[in-house]
């Protein structure tokens, strides 16, 4: 007899619960406005405001949490080509598979790309290309967790929740600054 055990996905907090606990601010990047959010001193949100997600919370009127101020400082440095890796406490909510995909994204070096297939192989799931793409699309902390560094086979851009123009911009920014700085 074969027994199938299904693991339940962790349920993310409902939007009312998040709005009640989340502190938010906006960040104007060179390629569009980002909404940043933090809960209990950890960054939980960095999304393009115009990416079609009507459930995003509104910016807070309260004084900014330290992690949001630090995220803005690090984004300034990233867009100036002075920061290659973010160092922020993160709060990631998603399924185990999504969290594994997001963790794998963080290991992709600045200025480089991998294919969806390569990301799936790094996760030990070589046939899960579509699932990897879906997990990357659900990435709640874009730019900081660099889903823009994943491309389709053959070097085509593939998709990006913030739009292909932004993906092109971010990849070009990193390529330009990676070429200018020595790698030690």
């Amino acid at each position: 007899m074969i027994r199938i055990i299904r693991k339940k996905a962790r349920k993310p907090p409902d939007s009312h619960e998040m709005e009640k606990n989340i502190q938010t601010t906006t960040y104007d990047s060179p390629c569009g406005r980002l909404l940043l959010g933090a809960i209990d001193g950890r960054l939980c949100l960095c999304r393009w405001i115009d990416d079609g997600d009507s459930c995003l919370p509104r910016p807070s009127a309260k004084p900014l949490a330290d992690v949001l101020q630090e995220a803005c400082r690090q984004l300034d440095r990233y867009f100036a080509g002075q920061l290659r890796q973010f160092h922020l406490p993160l709060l990631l909510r998603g399924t185990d598979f999504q969290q594994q995909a997001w963790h794998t994204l963080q290991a992709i070096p600045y200025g480089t790309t991998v294919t969806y297939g390569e990301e799936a192989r790094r996760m030990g799931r070589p046939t899960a290309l579509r699932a990897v793409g879906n997990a990357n699309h659900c990435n709640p902390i874009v730019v900081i967790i660099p889903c823009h560094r994943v491309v389709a086979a053959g070097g085509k851009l593939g998709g990006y929740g913030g739009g292909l123009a932004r993906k092109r911009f971010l990849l070009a920014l990193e390529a330009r600054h990676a070429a200018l700085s020595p790698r030690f």
Side-chain angles (χ1 to χ4, degrees), residues 120-138:
R121 280 190 290 285
R122 290 179 183 189
M123 291 172 62
R125 307 282 298 269
T127 61
L129 280 73
R130 286 183 189 260
V132 163
N134 286 332
N136 291 354
H137 181 73
C138 293

Side-chain angles (χ1 to χ4, degrees), residues 37-59:
I39 295 176
D40 296 329
R42 295 187 291 168
L43 191 71
C44 63
L45 181 69
C46 180
R47 296 286 302 262
W48 301 108
I49 289 180
D50 61 354
D51 74 359
D53 193 343
S54 61
C55 297
L56 291 175
R58 297 183 187 277

Side-chain angles (χ1 to χ4, degrees), residues 55-68:
C55 297
L56 291 175
R58 297 183 187 277
S60 308
K62 306 178 222 173
L64 278 187
D66 291 345
V67 71
L68 293 175

Side-chain angles (χ1 to χ4, degrees), residues 108-109 111-115 122 148-151 171:
I108 302 170
T112 65
T113 59
V114 301
T115 64
R122 290 179 183 189
H148 61 275
R149 295 181 189 154
V150 182
V151 296
L171 292 174

Side-chain angles (χ1 to χ4, degrees), residues 24-97:
T24 59
T25 191
T26 57
Y27 176 85
D28 289 320
S29 84
C31 57
R33 182 170 279 187
L34 290 161
L35 179 69
L36 306 175
I39 295 176
D40 296 329
R42 295 187 291 168
L43 191 71
C44 63
L45 181 69
C46 180
R47 296 286 302 262
W48 301 108
I49 289 180
D50 61 354
D51 74 359
D53 193 343
S54 61
C55 297
L56 291 175
R58 297 183 187 277
S60 308
K62 306 178 222 173
L64 278 187
D66 291 345
V67 71
L68 293 175
Q69 291 178 29
E70 182 59 25
C72 290
R73 279 191 289 275
Q74 289 188 30
L75 285 164
D76 283 342
R77 293 185 58 224
Y78 169 81
F79 284 110
Q82 301 166 349
L83 181 76
R84 291 174 176 236
Q85 187 172 3
F86 291 90
H87 300 282
L88 296 162
L90 303 178
L91 175 63
L92 293 171
R93 296 189 178 180
T95 66
D96 290 341
F97 184 87

